Amino acid sequence: MTAADLRKQADIAPNTLTRMKKDQTVTMQVFERICDVLDTDFGDVVEYIQDDSDERT
């Protein structure tokens, strides 16, 4: 399946797919749609990587 096919089947806007490719923020709803199309679990499509540059005080 191509990225374009996934985008169409999951009803994701083209700019949202671009945001994903640039490692920018997208909503959980987007990942829910992707999981539905791929018939997979959230953990199979998402990896959490802590941002060490984000200093919290």
Side-chain angles (χ1 to χ4, degrees), residues 1-45:
M1 174 182 292
T2 67
D5 291 337
L6 176 61
R7 184 189 68 73
K8 290 174 187 174
Q9 287 185 30
D11 194 27
I12 299 170
N15 61 331
T16 301
L17 191 61
T18 300
R19 291 180 62 79
M20 290 177 64
K21 289 178 181 181
K22 293 182 178 182
D23 293 329
Q24 296 177 341
T25 304
V26 295
T27 67
M28 294 295 288
Q29 290 174 327
V30 169
F31 290 112
E32 182 180 353
R33 291 178 191 168
I34 291 170
C35 287
D36 285 344
V37 169
L38 298 177
D39 191 31
T40 190
D41 185 70
F42 178 77
D44 294 330
V45 296

